[in-house]
């Protein structure tokens, strides 16, 4: 029996461990799991046993069986503790960010132990570091390591996969795809703000800036770069609709994930595949004005000095562990349209959305179902630093549809 077979078939105490369960998003994912799978062999994990006990008590009010949930205390910076945790479970789902500060030991332990893994990171520079450090070892042990399983970057990654599937069913092949945010309403948590501040601080490092500026930062070595795929910050008009577009602040993360998916799927979308993301601001002069204001705001945010921004954030924005109320999350929503063009000029259209706050309500669904997909579904036996589309694909789409999200595709 190979090392990979030994690690993948070794009996594990748990099917799933949720690490970071005491944080704001971690509590939401725990609530989702306890409602969805009360009988799952799973455990809550984090740094503080006392905080874990309080979370378990809160979950017990929703589902009495949660009172028996095991609690695993361990420091994310303790490599030995993270290795011990990874050995005990088949899947780790972690919400403990910023991942560049608190995620490396746990991801590395999962890669070493053949343990599947998913997280919520939007930290492209960190994912690149993890690919370089652990992709080869995870491929050897069979560990399916899947970062970015929330609003970063499931709507993008699975939305493009939907376009591909729609065209492939008609005998076609995708040549380009355009992601347009039509509507988005939601709040921010302290953890997300902390991750953003860390990313801004790391931008002072020239090596980090080079990674973030590279449109193919997450693609395998040797992936063919396509000219014209650089990020853009100016308003522009969509030739297919005539509507004004502004740059989307998450595009620098999502586009890299989609391009990595294409490479890992053996260039199913083609080696000349082109992809971009933007926000639809509407038609005419009002649309142009909104696009110009959004573009100017993004440019300004990149030019301001970092230290004053951190001081303002620490004073006025939510601290880690805080975030939108239940009412705010349930009143949030998002709707995204993806327009695809085939190599023969065929057109396809997809819609992705949810009637939940995108960053927290819907993200807890996306991460929760990603963890369950890894734990319960028959997936391709491939290991490495993967993406939602290349690892879970349409099985995850089906799960998210059943959870209440919109994933639709049609000729168009």
């Amino acid at each position: 029996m190979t090392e990979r077979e030994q690690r993948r078939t070794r009996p594990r105490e748990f099917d799933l461990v949720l690490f970071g369960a005491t944080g704001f998003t971690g509590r939401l994912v725990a609530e989702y799991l306890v409602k969805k799978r009360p009988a799952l062999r799973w455990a809550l994990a984090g740094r503080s046993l006392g905080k874990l006990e309080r979370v378990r008590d809160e979950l017990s009010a929703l589902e009495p069986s949660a009172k028996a949930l095991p609690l695993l205390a361990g420091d994310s910076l303790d490599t030995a503790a993270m290795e011990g945790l990874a050995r005990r479970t088949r899947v780790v789902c972690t919400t403990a960010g910023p991942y560049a500060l608190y995620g490396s030991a746990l991801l590395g332990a999962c890669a070493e132990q053949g343990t599947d893994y998913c997280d919520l990171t939007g930290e492209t520079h960190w994912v690149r570091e993890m690919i370089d450090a652990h992709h080869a070892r995870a491929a050897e042990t069979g560990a399916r390591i899947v970062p970015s399983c929330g609003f970063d970057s499931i709507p993008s990654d699975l939305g493009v996969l939907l376009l591909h599937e729609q065209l492939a069913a008609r005998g076609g092949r995708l040549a380009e795809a355009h992601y347009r945010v039509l509507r988005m309403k939601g709040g921010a948590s302290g953890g997300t703000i902390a991750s953003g501040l860390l990313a801004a601080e790391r931008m002072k490092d020239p090596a980090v800036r080079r990674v973030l500026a590279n449109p193919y930062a997450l693609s395998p070595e040797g992936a063919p770069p396509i000219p014209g795929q650089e990020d853009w910050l100016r308003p522009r008009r969509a030739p297919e609709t005539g509507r004004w577009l502004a740059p989307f602040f998450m595009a620098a993360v999502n586009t890299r994930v989609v391009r990595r998916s294409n490479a890992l799927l053996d260039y199913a979308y083609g080696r000349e595949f082109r992809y971009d993301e933007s926000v639809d601001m509407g038609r005419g002069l009002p649309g142009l004005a909104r696009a110009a204001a959004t573009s100017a705001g993004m440019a300004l945010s990149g030019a301001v000095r970092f230290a004053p921004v951190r001081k303002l954030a620490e004073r006025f924005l939510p601290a880690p562990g805080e975030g939108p109320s239940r009412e705010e999350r349930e009143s949030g929503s998002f709707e995204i349209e993806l327009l695809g063009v085939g190599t023969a000029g065929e057109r396809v259209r997809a819609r992705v959305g949810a009637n939940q706050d995108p960053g927290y309500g819907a993200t807890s669904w996306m991460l929760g179902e990603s963890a369950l997909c890894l734990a319960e579904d028959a997936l391709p036996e491939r290991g490495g630093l993967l993406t939602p589309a290349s690892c879970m694909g349409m099985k995850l789409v089906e799960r998210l549809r059943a959870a209440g999200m919109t994933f639709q595709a049609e000729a168009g």
Side-chain angles (χ1 to χ4, degrees), residues 75-153:
D75 191 323
S76 62
L77 301 180
D78 184 337
T79 300
M82 295 300 97
E83 288 177 352
L85 185 151
R87 279 195 297 269
R88 298 176 68 178
T89 182
R90 294 174 50 239
V91 179
V92 166
C93 172
T94 174
T95 62
Y99 293 91
L101 290 181
Y102 304 117
S104 299
L106 181 54
L107 187 152
C110 289
E112 180 64 30
Q113 297 300 323
T115 301
D116 293 343
Y117 166 104
C118 56
D119 69 28
L120 291 173
T121 190
E123 300 162 61
T124 302
H125 57 285
W126 177 75
V127 177
R128 181 69 256 176
E129 291 172 7
M130 295 299 98
I131 291 169
D132 294 340
H134 301 296
H135 175 73
R137 183 56 177 159
E140 291 175 351
T141 65
R144 293 176 286 224
I145 308 295
V146 194
S148 305
C149 290
F151 194 56
D152 289 322
S153 297

Side-chain angles (χ1 to χ4, degrees), residues 252-329:
V253 178
N254 297 334
T255 56
R256 279 66 169 166
V257 172
V258 169
R259 291 174 190 134
R260 181 169 179 82
S261 287
N262 186 31
L264 293 177
L265 290 169
D266 198 22
Y267 296 98
Y269 313 154
R271 290 183 176 270
E272 301 296 320
F273 172 69
R274 306 178 71 87
Y275 180 65
D276 62 70
E277 296 191 352
S278 57
V279 183
D280 187 321
M281 292 296 183
R283 297 182 184 277
L285 288 176
L288 173 59
R290 288 190 289 269
T294 299
S295 300
M298 288 188 63
L300 179 63
S301 68
V304 296
R305 292 178 59 204
F306 176 73
V309 171
R310 175 178 283 280
K311 289 180 180 179
L312 285 171
E314 291 173 345
R315 182 173 179 183
F316 295 110
L317 297 178
E322 300 176 353
S325 67
R326 182 178 298 277
E327 292 74 19
E328 290 170 328
R329 296 195 303 273

Side-chain angles (χ1 to χ4, degrees), residues 182-207:
L182 304 181
R183 173 171 52 87
M184 187 170 66
K185 178 186 177 184
S189 81
T192 295
I193 291 165
S195 294
L197 290 172
L198 177 64
E201 190 168 19
R202 293 195 70 182
M203 282 287 286
K204 294 184 289 187
D205 184 339

Side-chain angles (χ1 to χ4, degrees), residues 19 43 49 67 256 308 326 334 355:
F19 190 81
L49 184 60
K67 192 65 178 175
R256 279 66 169 166
R326 182 178 298 277
F334 71 93
N355 291 322

